[in-house]
Amino acid sequence: MSRLHDHSERHLVSRIGWLRAAVMGANDGIVSTASLIIGVAAASAASSDVLIAGAAGLVAGAMSMAAGEYVSVSSQQDTETADIERERGELASDVDAEIEELAGIYMGRGLDAETAGIVARQLMAHDALGAHARDELGISAFTTARPEQAALTSAATFSVGAALPLAAAMIAPQASVTLAVAVASLLFLAALGAIGAGAGGASLWRASARVTIWGAIAMALTAGIGRVVGAAV
């Protein structure tokens, strides 16, 4: 029995809420701002126009990310709250049916009927609403929606991500802004993928390749559009 007490595990699922928002915000900041800068630069715009577009993209994107995350995660939170309140009412009106429902869930996971009934009764005696929220609705402390956390995390990481290609555009000579921003942004994306994968315990190479490829596609498309529009104008 002493081995059971000595055994410890380090799970990373508790990070899933803020990590998703952080990676998405930083990724969008790099990709959207770099793409905007490259598109404007490819249209043969002046250096000041490129920097203004990049700065405007940073501010607008950060606010958009914050608002979008807050609204979407708030909708998730509203749904979770409504389901929990509905479950609270069902527990108050027919507790025996709720015990049977919970036992049926455990039987579906492999327990025999007798053991499932015992487990359901014991868990409901301890925390009936928590047991149903977790095992029937799939809502837990790790996965519950946190709108404010998601909004602030996305806005902050978007700003940091967007500042990187903007800084590259400020440093690079005007003649090579497109190439400098593209190369720097791809390196930033590869690093972001590795950092996100490391924080979540996933494969570094796969995550880096995933974000880098999609970023390259986005920048290539906007560069092409910028050249076409610039030539037409």
Side-chain angles (χ1 to χ4, degrees):
M1 293 297 292
S2 62
R3 288 186 177 181
L4 294 177
H5 295 292
D6 293 338
H7 178 67
S8 63
E9 294 182 352
R10 180 172 173 267
H11 295 294
L12 304 176
V13 69
S14 60
R15 301 177 178 178
I16 194 169
W18 64 263
L19 182 59
R20 177 197 62 82
V23 172
M24 183 170 69
N27 181 79
D28 281 2
I30 296 172
V31 173
S32 64
T33 306
S35 298
L36 179 62
I37 290 172
I38 289 172
V40 174
S44 300
S47 177
S48 58
D49 294 335
V50 172
L51 296 179
I52 291 171
L58 186 157
V59 176
M63 294 301 99
S64 177
M65 287 294 296
E69 282 286 345
Y70 186 81
V71 170
S72 63
V73 179
S74 292
S75 297
Q76 177 187 341
Q77 186 181 57
D78 292 343
T79 301
E80 291 176 353
T81 301
D83 277 345
I84 288 175
E85 289 304 314
R86 189 177 300 110
E87 197 63 38
R88 193 191 304 275
E90 292 173 355
L91 285 167
S93 63
D94 194 350
V95 68
D96 290 334
E98 293 300 302
I99 291 174
E100 291 182 7
E101 183 179 33
L102 200 59
I105 293 172
Y106 298 143
M107 289 171 63
R109 295 178 182 174
L111 296 182
D112 59 69
E114 181 180 359
T115 304
I118 294 172
V119 172
R121 285 182 174 83
Q122 289 185 350
L123 288 177
M124 287 187 63
H126 174 68
D127 181 6
L129 186 60
H132 278 270
R134 181 180 59 252
D135 294 325
E136 181 184 349
L137 303 177
I139 300 172
S140 70
F142 292 143
T143 60
T144 189
R146 296 180 176 85
E148 293 82 4
Q149 181 191 68
L152 292 174
T153 302
S154 291
T157 54
F158 182 98
S159 299
V160 173
L164 298 175
L166 184 56
M170 294 175 66
I171 295 171
Q174 183 175 358
S176 58
V177 165
T178 299
L179 179 61
V181 171
V183 172
S185 297
L186 291 177
L187 292 175
F188 295 147
L189 286 170
L192 172 65
I195 292 171
S203 168
L204 302 183
W205 292 109
R206 182 181 301 173
S208 293
R210 185 167 52 214
V211 297
T212 302
I213 290 171
W214 283 106
I217 293 172
M219 286 182 275
L221 288 174
T222 53
I225 293 172
R227 286 191 179 279
V228 171
V229 173
V233 175

